[in-house]
Amino acid sequence: MSKETCLPEIPVLPSLTRPSEPVELGDSRASSNSQLDVLTLIPDILGFRPMSPELFPKPNPEVDRFALDRRLVSGVAWTAAARWGSQVITSGALLIQARLLSPTDFGILGMTYILLGFINLVAEFGLGSAIVVMRELSPDQIRQTHVLAVFLGIVASGATALAAAPSAAFFRSPALVAVIPVMGAGFLLSGFRVVPQALLARDLRFKAISIIEAASLVVQALVSLLLAWFGLRYWSLVIGGLAGAAVNTLALYVLSPCGFARPVF
C-alpha cells in the first residue's frame, strides 16, 4: 500500500477572512465575523506564528530594580542615622530633665499617655497605610482622604477634652483636667500630617521623613529642657511635645502639600 493511500483526505476549511461587503448592525453575519476575528488570534496565542514585538515590548526590570534597591538602602541608612542621632540628643536632655523635674511631673505625663494611647488606636483609622498601599488613588481622592484624616483628628481631640475630667477623678490628679485637653491637641496636628507623610512614604522618600522626625525630636527635647530650666514642671514636657509635633506637621506639609476636597461616600 502506498503512503498516499494511508493519509486521510483533509477537508478544505472556508477562509477566515472578513468579507469585503459591509455588514449591517444586527445582521447575523456580524457575530460570526467577530468569532472569526477571535479565531485568527489562536495561532498567535498558541505560538504557531511569531507575534509582533511592537505589541509586547520587553521590559527592562534590571534598571528599575537597581534604582529601587538604591532608594531602599539609602532610606534605611538615613532612617537609622537620624534615629540614632536624635536618640542621643533626647536621652541627654532627658537625663538633665530628670534632675530638674520631680517624679510627680513625669507621673502626670504617664497617666496622660494611658488615655491618649486608647484614643490613638482609632484616631488615624488606617488612612495613611491605605494611601501607601493603594497607589491608584486619584489626586481628588487623596484630598478627600486628607479631609477625613483632619476630621478624625478633630474628633479625637474633642474626645480627649471630654475625657479629661473623668480621668482626673479616676487617677485622683486634678492637674489632668488641664493637661489632657492640651495634650489632645496633638491629635489635631496628627490629622494634618497623616496624608502628607503617607505620600512621602509611598514615593520612598524615607530620607526626608527621617530627617523631619529627627528634627522634631530634637526640638521637643530642647524646648522641654529650656522650659524645665525655667521651672514650668510638667508643663515643660507637655509644651515640648506639642512643639515637636508642630514642627513635624509643618515640615511634612511643606514637602508634601495636600489640598482639601469634600468626601463623597
Side-chain angles (χ1 to χ4, degrees):
M1 181 181 295
S2 62
K3 183 180 298 185
E4 289 77 11
T5 59
C6 296
L7 295 176
E9 183 179 357
I10 301 176
V12 179
L13 297 176
S15 175
L16 298 179
T17 59
R18 184 186 298 273
S20 58
E21 67 274 15
V23 179
E24 297 293 336
L25 183 63
D27 194 345
S28 60
R29 290 177 295 174
S31 60
S32 62
N33 288 336
S34 62
Q35 295 176 359
L36 294 178
D37 292 338
V38 176
L39 291 175
T40 55
L41 296 177
I42 294 179
D44 292 334
I45 298 174
L46 298 179
F48 295 158
R49 289 200 302 263
M51 305 184 75
S52 176
E54 290 79 11
L55 296 178
F56 299 94
K58 294 182 179 180
N60 188 8
E62 295 298 332
V63 177
D64 296 337
R65 184 180 302 174
F66 180 72
L68 181 61
D69 291 343
R70 288 188 58 185
R71 296 183 69 178
L72 286 177
V73 172
S74 176
V76 171
W78 273 100
T79 301
R83 289 191 176 182
W84 278 103
S86 60
Q87 188 66 33
V88 171
I89 297 177
T90 55
S91 298
L94 185 60
L95 290 176
I96 300 176
Q97 291 175 13
R99 300 290 298 175
L100 298 175
L101 302 177
S102 65
T104 304
D105 299 329
F106 288 100
I108 292 175
L109 264 294
M111 291 182 287
T112 304
Y113 284 130
I114 294 176
L115 175 63
L116 298 182
F118 285 109
I119 299 179
N120 190 45
L121 295 176
V122 295
E124 182 183 345
F125 209 67
L127 297 178
S129 301
I131 292 178
V132 174
V133 175
M134 302 175 65
R135 295 177 173 269
E136 68 277 5
L137 291 177
S138 64
D140 191 58
Q141 290 174 330
I142 293 177
R143 289 191 290 267
Q144 294 175 9
T145 307
H146 184 51
V147 172
L148 184 58
V150 173
F151 174 74
L152 291 177
I154 295 174
V155 172
S157 180
T160 305
L162 293 176
S167 299
F170 177 80
F171 290 108
R172 298 179 181 178
S173 177
L176 296 180
V177 176
V179 171
I180 289 179
V182 176
M183 292 285 290
F187 288 116
L188 180 60
L189 297 174
S190 177
F192 279 96
R193 70 170 177 264
V194 167
V195 173
Q197 185 172 358
L199 292 175
L200 292 178
R202 189 183 67 175
D203 297 336
L204 302 181
R205 299 177 63 181
F206 298 112
K207 175 182 176 181
I209 295 176
S210 59
I211 292 177
I212 291 174
E213 289 181 352
S216 62
L217 290 176
V218 171
V219 170
Q220 176 180 347
L222 294 180
V223 171
S224 298
L225 182 60
L226 180 62
L227 295 180
W229 183 270
F230 284 103
L232 292 184
R233 299 183 58 195
Y234 54 84
W235 283 111
S236 63
L237 301 175
V238 175
I239 299 175
L242 289 179
V247 170
N248 195 338
T249 302
L250 181 61
L252 289 172
Y253 219 87
V254 170
L255 288 182
S256 181
C258 185
F260 298 89
R262 184 174 64 87
V264 179
F265 299 99

